[in-house]
């Protein structure tokens, strides 16, 4: 009896697999992207203040497209955040309890009261694979188009029991905190080291905070008169529609969104970034390879790729200035480049393979496997 599932014929040397095996091949090739990295945009502070994104659908769409383009590129898995973290040893406990602290994205900084627009999330929790970004608008002044940053953190430590057991209790709390607040992978945003004492015993700790929460905001005062611009003025200043070419003389909202989101996830804002800078030289291997060296690759302030650094666009292999340089030319759009991606890799992010190469590799592997089994 002839079984269809065991039959094939060859056309130009490529096995044509029938029935169940063909279905298996199609199923394998239809597997969705390996990306699990989710950027969650929170409009709460904007909604209760300017409601800019609630009344400007094009700006919201551009921001969400930028977040989607970055998240679909990254396959790094992030551990969930749960607080507090309790370590125990016998009858002794040590508790680490964290807060995230960030600037209200819809409220200007007050030099006379630096804490006025600070927001604190006590004992925060985050879902696995999720980064949360609070968004808004401000009258920024000057030539600044947007700003974005990771959240700060505050830590409280408590403990009780027997001093002789305290070091092991602290070590257990440290391990639990690092597994969660450190997020398991990706950049170290901050490392906080110190010591805590119970009775006569002092215990040291070293705690990593990974990517988790941040905030960003966009300028709505293009004429620098310290007053929010009218919708008509904003339309003259910004190009909001990310699906059309940028009009001459306008600033592309999508390009700025990409730039600021990358700051929130650690580009120019993390300990891992700082650890790979020596003056204006970048020492990370992936960006060095993509650029042909690291000398002069970082701007003098240390938080950006140097101006006039070009790379290959992911979208069409064209050449453009990188997204993470500190400036944007009016009338132009930036999209992600190979060098921007290389910096993400140096920060510890896993990158989804390029579809063309990954697809060909998967197809070759599947065909080889099926050929050997027939």
């Amino acid at each position: 009896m002839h079984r269809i599932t065991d039959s094939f014929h060859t056309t130009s040397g490529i096995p044509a697999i029938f029935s169940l095996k063909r279905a298996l091949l199609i199923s394998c090739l239809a597997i969705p992207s390996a990306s699990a990295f989710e950027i969650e945009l929170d409009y709460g502070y904007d909604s209760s203040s300017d409601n800019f994104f609630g009344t400007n659908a094009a700006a919201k769409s551009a921001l969400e497209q930028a977040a989607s383009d970055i998240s679909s590129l990254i396959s790094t898995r992030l551990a969930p955040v749960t607080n507090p973290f309790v370590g125990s040893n016998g009858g002794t406990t040590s508790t680490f309890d964290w807060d995230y602290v960030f600037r209200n994205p819809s409220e200007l900084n007050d030099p006379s009261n630096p804490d006025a627009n600070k927001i604190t999330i006590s004992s925060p929790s985050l879902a696995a694979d999720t980064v949360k970004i609070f968004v808004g608008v401000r009258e920024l002044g000057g030539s600044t188009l947007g700003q974005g940053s990771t959240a700060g953190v505050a830590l409280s430590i408590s403990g009780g029991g027997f001093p002789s057991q305290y070091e092991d209790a602290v070590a257990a709390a440290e391990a639990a905190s690092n597994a969660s607040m450190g997020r398991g992978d990706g950049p170290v945003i901050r490392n906080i080291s110190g010591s805590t004492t119970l009775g006569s015993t002092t215990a040291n700790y070293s705690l990593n905070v990974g990517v988790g929460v941040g905030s960003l905001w966009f300028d709505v005062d293009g004429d620098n008169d310290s007053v929010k611009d009218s919708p008509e003025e904003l339309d003259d200043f910004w190009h909001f529609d990310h699906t059309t070419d940028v009009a001459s003389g306008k600033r592309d909202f999508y390009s700025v969104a990409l730039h600021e989101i990358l700051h929130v996830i650690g580009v120019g804002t993390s300990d891992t970034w700082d650890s790979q800078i020596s003056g204006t030289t970048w020492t990370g291997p992936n960006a060095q390879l993509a650029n042909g060296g690291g000398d002069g690759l970082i701007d003098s302030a240390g938080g950006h790729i140097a101006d006039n650094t070009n790379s290959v666009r992911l979208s069409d292999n064209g050449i453009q200035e990188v997204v993470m340089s500190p400036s944007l030319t009016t009338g132009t759009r930036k999209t992600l480049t190979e060098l921007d991606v290389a910096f993400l890799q140096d920060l510890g992010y896993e990158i989804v393979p390029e579809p063309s190469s990954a697809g060909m590799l998967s197809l070759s592997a599947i065909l080889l496997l099926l050929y050997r089994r027939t």
Side-chain angles (χ1 to χ4, degrees), residues 200-361:
S200 59
T201 299
T202 297
N204 297 320
Y205 57 83
S206 179
L207 303 172
N208 289 334
V209 177
V211 63
V213 169
S215 58
L216 62 82
W217 47 89
F218 299 85
D219 184 33
V220 286
D221 181 20
D223 55 7
N224 294 324
D225 63 356
S226 300
V227 177
K228 180 183 175 182
D229 292 342
S230 68
E232 293 75 21
E233 289 172 321
L234 289 173
D235 280 337
D236 287 338
F237 183 79
W238 285 106
H239 184 96
F240 292 116
D241 188 351
H242 70 281
T243 67
T244 61
D245 292 340
V246 183
S248 176
K250 292 190 177 184
R251 294 89 181 155
D252 184 47
F253 199 83
Y254 170 85
S255 301
V256 177
L258 276 181
H259 182 103
E260 302 308 339
I261 292 172
L262 289 172
H263 275 318
V264 172
I265 66 171
V267 179
T269 56
S270 62
D271 284 358
T272 300
W273 172 276
D274 293 342
S275 71
Q276 297 177 89
I277 291 177
S278 177
T280 60
T281 297
W282 181 260
T283 62
N286 291 287
Q288 281 197 3
L289 180 62
N291 186 62
D295 292 347
L297 191 52
I298 303 301
D299 77 328
S300 58
H304 293 90
I305 304 174
D307 262 326
N308 302 313
T309 301
N310 293 329
S311 184
V312 177
R313 279 192 298 267
L314 300 183
S315 59
D316 62 2
N317 294 322
I319 303 297
Q320 67 162 59
E321 188 177 41
V322 294
V323 169
M324 290 313 295
S325 70
S327 60
L328 174 68
T329 302
T330 57
T332 66
R333 171 168 295 137
K334 292 183 178 182
T335 62
L336 292 166
T337 71
E338 291 181 359
L339 188 54
D340 292 305
V341 171
F343 273 93
L344 288 174
Q345 291 175 303
D346 282 339
L347 291 183
Y349 286 111
E350 296 291 331
I351 301 300
V352 175
E354 185 178 350
S356 58
S357 60
M360 290 302 296
L361 180 61

